[in-house]
Amino acid sequence: MEKKELRYIHSFAEYFDQFIKLLIDYSPKLISALVILFIGLYAVRLINRLVRKIMVKRELDPTLATFLADSLLWAMRFLLFVTFISKLGIETSSFVAILGAIGLAVGLSLQGSLSNFAGGVLIILFKPFKVGDSIEAQGVAGTVSEIQIFVTKLVTGNNQTIFVPNGILSNGVITNFSLGKNRRANLLFTISYHTNIKTAKEIVMQVLENHPKVLKTPAPAVVVNLLTDTTIQLAIQPWAKNADYGQMCSDVLEECKEAFDQAGIAMQTIVKEAPKK
């Protein structure tokens, strides 16, 4: 029994001696690798902070600046990691091959996410809209509150938050209402054939001229939009600033209705926005 215990102790001592010897032989590589790692992490943070300050000073778009800074940060971290394991004596070519295989498998399983990522990059680079713009796309409309890498966040008029995937957003039709300073409404209502068209148009023009949020230039217009079997469709086309557009439309419709009531003109139907042609 004592011989067996002595054999175990002797084996343990041999393993311990081999471990100490290996540690002594390997310690220079380990120490240099750790020094490179810590200095590299500090340098990466310093460079990333410096790049962000430069982009802010150059007044680069905040979304693009964040995206570029984050991409640079992860690229530098990856290069630092490869340098670290290479300094430890690990074969980097095999590691890179394994990492590539893993990346391919992950890419195949996340095709939708990669499509959204690519769409986010396109939106950030080509800027069909920016934060604060009012847009309509994919059947939803709202104000852009944030452009993320995978989704764009919209806030609707009733304060609902909608996340639209960037993949379909970048490949679809986008209506940006904020690119121009002014916006024209196309308000549609109908009157009977017994109504004098000239009188009706004069009443509407009087309302438009007196409204403070209707722009004088470009000048508003009232035109005959359609003649049906029983009614005449008139289109009211006033211009307003983007910020005043919604309130202006509601006010003009209400005031036109009141003016027609006073003139004894019966309105058949009112549609806030005429069909787009």
Side-chain angles (χ1 to χ4, degrees):
M1 186 70 176
E2 292 180 357
K3 291 181 179 181
K4 190 174 183 180
E5 291 178 354
L6 289 173
R7 189 166 61 249
Y8 284 148
I9 293 173
H10 181 70
S11 299
F12 177 77
E14 288 181 350
Y15 287 136
F16 184 75
D17 290 341
Q18 291 179 4
F19 174 74
I20 295 298
K21 183 180 179 181
L22 181 63
L23 184 61
I24 293 174
D25 294 339
Y26 198 70
S27 57
K29 291 184 178 180
L30 180 61
I31 293 172
S32 60
L34 290 175
V35 170
I36 290 175
L37 178 63
F38 289 124
I39 294 177
L41 288 174
Y42 176 77
V44 165
R45 287 197 297 270
L46 184 63
I47 293 173
N48 189 257
R49 195 177 300 120
L50 180 62
V51 169
R52 289 178 184 270
K53 287 182 179 179
I54 292 174
M55 289 190 290
V56 170
K57 187 178 294 185
R58 295 288 181 87
E59 298 182 351
L60 201 64
D61 181 77
T63 305
L64 180 59
T66 301
F67 171 74
L68 292 177
D70 290 343
S71 300
L72 178 63
L73 176 64
W74 284 106
M76 290 189 297
R77 285 176 175 175
F78 176 76
L79 292 175
L80 176 62
F81 178 69
V82 172
T83 305
F84 172 72
I85 64 173
S86 176
K87 194 64 179 177
L88 289 176
I90 300 174
E91 185 64 34
T92 56
S93 58
S94 301
F95 174 78
V96 172
I98 295 173
L99 188 64
I102 295 174
L104 179 61
V106 172
L108 292 174
S109 61
L110 298 175
Q111 290 183 11
S113 297
L114 291 177
S115 173
N116 292 331
F117 174 80
V121 172
L122 292 175
I123 291 172
I124 291 171
L125 291 178
F126 294 103
K127 300 179 182 179
F129 55 83
K130 63 182 184 297
V131 174
D133 285 355
S134 295
I135 68 169
E136 181 179 353
Q138 300 301 319
V140 295
T143 301
V144 180
S145 64
E146 188 176 356
I147 304 174
Q148 301 177 1
I149 294 300
F150 295 101
V151 296
T152 293
K153 186 190 297 184
L154 301 180
V155 178
T156 63
N158 56 355
N159 204 32
Q160 291 182 337
T161 301
I162 301 176
F163 294 89
V164 184
N166 286 335
I168 59 174
L169 187 59
S170 62
N171 291 321
V173 177
I174 301 172
T175 303
N176 191 333
F177 300 111
S178 300
L179 284 181
K181 295 181 180 180
N182 305 325
R183 183 177 173 185
R184 194 195 77 175
N186 200 38
L187 310 176
L188 180 68
F189 64 89
T190 61
I191 57 177
S192 68
Y193 276 101
H194 299 291
T195 304
N196 187 290
I197 296 179
K198 184 178 180 180
T199 301
K201 292 174 67 175
E202 289 176 351
I203 292 174
V204 174
M205 285 301 299
Q206 188 67 35
V207 170
L208 298 180
E209 289 171 358
N210 293 336
H211 197 287
K213 293 183 178 180
V214 175
L215 299 177
K216 306 303 180 185
T217 306
V222 182
V223 297
V224 176
N225 186 71
L226 184 66
L227 298 176
T228 68
D229 292 338
T230 57
T231 59
I232 303 170
Q233 291 186 354
L234 294 181
I236 308 174
Q237 298 174 340
W239 289 81
K241 295 181 179 179
N242 280 321
D244 300 332
Y245 177 80
Q247 187 63 47
M248 183 274 295
C249 290
S250 298
D251 290 348
V252 167
L253 288 175
E254 180 179 349
E255 292 176 14
C256 284
K257 176 64 168 63
E258 292 176 352
F260 278 174
D261 288 344
Q262 292 177 2
I265 298 175
M267 298 178 64
Q268 304 296 317
T269 57
I270 300 177
V271 180
K272 188 173 182 181
E273 188 78 19
K276 298 176 182 178
K277 296 183 178 180

